[in-house]
Amino acid sequence: MKRIFSIAILLVVVAGATAQAANFAVITSPPTLLNAFILLIAIACAVGSIKIFELVRGGQMSKSWQILILGFIIFAASQIVNLCVAFEIISLPAYVVPALVVVALGLFLYGIFETKRILS
């Protein structure tokens, strides 16, 4: 009982903002659902890349896999920011999400070139 009471007090203190109804039109729109699906895929790719990195740790391919992991993490972060903007949680300039995607794609390209350099 004490645990439930303390959790309830903590939630009341933390959630001090006014409650607003969810914008279901934004949540169920196809672009937002697609962004959520892309986020799940990016997280799965990052986890898979980390598992591969653990297998090649200390080898010549470890640097390229580190770069690819960073690319997937930044891409997932861009999708999280995109969803936060769509759900109106945060307000950012329109160029932030595309800039993060460009950085992620640059890291992917650099990781592929690094892999090609090592394998050739």
Side-chain angles (χ1 to χ4, degrees):
M1 185 68 177
K2 288 181 181 181
R3 181 196 289 170
I4 294 173
F5 188 67
S6 62
I7 290 173
I9 290 174
L10 180 67
L11 287 175
V12 169
V13 170
V14 171
T18 59
Q20 297 178 359
N23 190 354
F24 286 111
V26 170
I27 295 171
T28 58
S29 68
T32 306
L33 290 175
L34 183 62
N35 286 336
F37 182 67
I38 291 171
L39 172 64
L40 293 176
I41 291 174
I43 291 171
C45 290
V47 169
S49 297
I50 290 170
K51 291 189 183 287
I52 292 173
F53 173 70
E54 289 173 355
L55 292 174
V56 297
R57 183 175 301 243
Q60 292 180 346
M61 296 289 290
S62 65
K63 181 179 178 185
S64 63
W65 279 104
Q66 283 176 340
I67 295 167
L68 290 172
I69 289 169
L70 185 61
F72 283 122
I73 290 172
I74 290 177
F75 186 65
S78 73
Q79 292 303 310
I80 290 171
V81 169
N82 196 5
L83 288 173
C84 287
V85 168
F87 292 147
E88 299 171 355
I89 296 172
I90 58 174
S91 177
L92 292 174
Y95 62 85
V96 173
V97 174
L100 286 172
V101 172
V102 167
V103 169
L105 290 176
L107 287 170
F108 292 147
L109 186 64
Y110 182 62
I112 290 171
F113 282 139
E114 189 70 25
T115 302
K116 183 182 175 193
R117 184 187 62 82
I118 292 169
L119 293 178
S120 62

